[in-house]
Amino acid sequence: MLAQEIVDKFWPEGRLNETFLSKQTNYLLAAYVDDAFAGFLYAFELDRLEQERPMMFFYSIDVLEKYRRQGIGKRLIEELNRICAQRNVSKMYVLTDEANTAALKLYQSTGGKRVMPDNVLFVYKEFADEG
Ligand SMILES: CC(C)(COP(=O)(O)OP(=O)(O)OC[C@H]1O[C@@H](n2cnc3c(N)ncnc32)[C@H](O)[C@@H]1OP(=O)(O)O)[C@@H](O)C(=O)NCCC(=O)NCCS
């Protein structure tokens, strides 16, 4: 079970179980040191049109400050890589920015490659909430 403060911060009002974890292709991995919550990542397995094997969109990772630089981020990604292999995922990708040295180092040291360094991310937001 995730620490309650993390659930409250990221998935208020029960959305964690009712929405996120109700989809079999959503992944949430949590790291603990002894019994203390230390960090988590989440990712989405995506179907592709052009081939049968899915891709993994590794969306987000956070390690609590006091547990950083102890190999926890690396362990979380290694576990996600293991799931990718088990699920026959063809490719996993993650986005970060040039200024995030810790993330750049972490992704490099877990096998990530910057294959398209000039890629640019466009964000479409402010869609009306129709719910
Ligand atoms: C990025 C983050 C998840 C790294 O987690 P972590 O548990 O500290 O990482 P690890 O201890 O597993 O370190 C993995 C590698 O990155 C290196 N590294 C980690 N933090 C670093 C830093 N601040 N500066 C330089 N290198 C760093 C480690 O030395 C290690 O390298 P090695 O494999 O060559 O020994 C953590 O810093 C964090 O939660 N940051 C805030 C949230 C964030 O930016 N998330 C990423 C968004 S894209």
Side-chain angles (χ1 to χ4, degrees):
M1 190 62 201
L2 282 178
Q4 193 57 44
E5 64 269 27
I6 301 295
V7 174
D8 292 343
K9 183 172 168 196
F10 291 96
W11 294 284
E13 295 161 29
R15 282 195 5 250
L16 175 64
N17 288 321
E18 287 163 22
T19 306
F20 191 87
L21 293 179
S22 68
K23 297 196 176 96
Q24 283 195 343
T25 49
N26 291 349
Y27 295 89
L28 172 69
L29 305 182
Y32 291 82
V33 174
D34 300 324
D35 279 340
F37 176 81
F40 73 104
L41 67 72
Y42 69 100
F44 305 96
E45 188 182 309
L46 303 174
D47 288 328
R48 301 178 67 184
L49 272 180
E50 66 278 30
Q51 63 162 273
E52 271 187 34
R53 297 174 68 197
M55 292 177 81
M56 188 70 83
F57 180 24
F58 166 20
Y59 186 75
S60 172
I61 182 165
D62 275 272
V63 172
L64 301 194
E65 235 169 293
K66 72 176 204 175
Y67 294 109
R68 287 182 192 164
R69 304 208 73 165
Q70 298 170 37
I72 291 170
K74 225 167 157 173
R75 283 292 307 278
L76 283 165
I77 295 177
E78 281 164 6
E79 182 60 16
L80 188 59
N81 272 325
R82 195 190 60 74
I83 292 169
C84 286
Q86 195 182 48
R87 296 284 304 155
N88 200 24
V89 163
S90 64
K91 203 189 288 184
M92 176 164 89
Y93 59 97
V94 63
L95 290 165
T96 189
D97 51 272
E98 201 72 64
N100 195 336
T101 309
L104 290 174
K105 278 285 294 182
L106 173 65
Y107 302 150
Q108 276 158 11
S109 79
T110 48
K113 304 259 184 293
R114 292 183 69 168
V115 288
M116 293 176 282
D118 60 340
N119 267 10
V120 177
L121 175 72
F122 287 84
V123 178
Y124 293 83
K125 56 181 181 179
E126 309 298 344
F127 293 109
D129 184 355
E130 304 291 349

